[in-house]
């Protein structure tokens, strides 16, 4: 099996070792907890925006998409869901304040490796599925740094907030569990 496909299939579980290390070494305080919490909310807001357009296709274990989403956050960057993941996870690192500033470097390296592999695989799949439509989109819309104006090509997808909330249940639950663990680590020291 392709390494990229293995990382894609395990993407929900690969952050666990880093998360455990963050929780073990956590040294949160009021400022880091609140600051990190605000960053977590920003990251989850971006995720909700992205999932509201992409739908539950983002939760599958199979690479590919039933349609090419090119509007909403996808009209500004090709990977808003992963940008949201980055910001949310960074917020948890700040919240825990574990082994800083080294943990940020480790987190950044792990993120770049994991999502570099995943994005490479997904782009290959989208290019094979959508051909020139995807190529035109990829030329116009950056991977991670947002455009100032929204891309105007492609068929607009509708936004469904209720579906986004439903799809994000697991993310809400796991994020809440980590926040509670950080708070407990802070309280019980």
């Amino acid at each position: 099996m392709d390494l990229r496909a293995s990382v894609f299939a395990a993407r929900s579980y690969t952050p666990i070792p880093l998360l455990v290390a963050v929780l073990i070494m956590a040294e949160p305080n009021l400022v880091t907890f609140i600051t990190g919490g605000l960053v977590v909310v920003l990251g989850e807001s971006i995720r909700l925006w992205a999932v509201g357009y992409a739908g539950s296709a983002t939760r599958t274990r199979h690479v590919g998409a039933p349609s090419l989403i090119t509007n909403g956050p996808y009209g500004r960057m090709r990977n808003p869901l992963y940008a949201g993941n980055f910001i949310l996870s960074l917020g948890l690192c700040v919240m825990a304040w574990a082994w800083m500033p080294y943990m940020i470097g480790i987190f950044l390296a792990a993120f770049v490796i994991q999502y570099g592999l995943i994005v490479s695989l997904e782009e290959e799949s989208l290019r094979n599925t959508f051909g020139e439509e995807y190529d035109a989109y990829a030329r116009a819309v950056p991977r991670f740094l947002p455009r100032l104006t929204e891309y105007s090509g492609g068929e607009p997808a509708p936004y469904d907030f209720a579906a986004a909330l439903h799809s994000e249940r697991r993310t809400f639950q796991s994020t809440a569990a980590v926040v509670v663990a950080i708070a407990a680590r802070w309280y019980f020291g």
Side-chain angles (χ1 to χ4, degrees), residues 2-188:
D2 182 354
L3 174 63
R4 299 175 306 165
S6 297
V7 171
F8 178 87
R11 70 191 185 279
S12 295
Y13 306 104
T14 54
I16 291 173
L18 185 60
L19 178 61
V20 169
V22 165
L23 291 174
I24 289 170
M25 296 185 288
E27 294 181 6
N29 61 56
L30 184 61
V31 172
T32 65
F33 196 82
I34 291 172
T35 303
L38 293 172
V39 175
V40 166
V41 169
L42 174 63
E44 182 53 40
S45 297
I46 293 168
R47 283 185 55 84
L48 274 172
W49 188 28
V51 172
Y53 282 94
S56 61
T58 62
R59 295 285 183 197
T60 67
R61 293 276 178 232
H62 305 288
V63 178
S67 62
L68 184 61
I69 309 298
T70 61
N71 65 312
Y74 294 92
R76 298 194 182 270
M77 73 175 73
R78 294 195 313 260
N79 296 287
L81 190 58
Y82 298 155
N85 286 350
F86 177 81
I87 294 168
L88 188 152
S89 300
L90 179 64
L92 293 172
C93 284
V94 169
M95 214 179 208
W97 207 251
W99 204 46
M100 289 299 190
Y102 308 107
M103 189 58 74
I104 296 296
I106 294 168
F107 163 69
L108 184 59
F111 190 90
V112 167
I113 291 167
Q114 175 171 324
Y115 285 100
L117 293 167
I118 290 171
V119 167
S120 166
L121 178 65
E122 289 179 335
E123 287 182 349
E124 181 181 297
S125 174
L126 292 170
R127 187 166 279 111
N128 290 339
T129 303
F130 300 106
E132 179 51 39
E133 181 185 7
Y134 178 76
D135 288 336
Y137 170 68
R139 284 190 300 270
V141 179
R143 276 189 187 103
F144 291 106
L145 297 176
R147 286 170 49 119
L148 295 178
T149 59
E150 189 172 341
Y151 178 69
S152 59
E155 185 67 31
Y159 181 75
D160 188 340
F161 183 67
L165 285 174
H166 180 72
S167 181
E168 282 294 278
R169 285 185 328 238
R170 277 192 7 218
T171 303
F172 293 145
Q173 291 166 347
S174 59
T175 301
V178 172
V179 169
V180 167
I182 293 169
R185 183 78 168 92
W186 178 22
Y187 184 76
F188 295 110

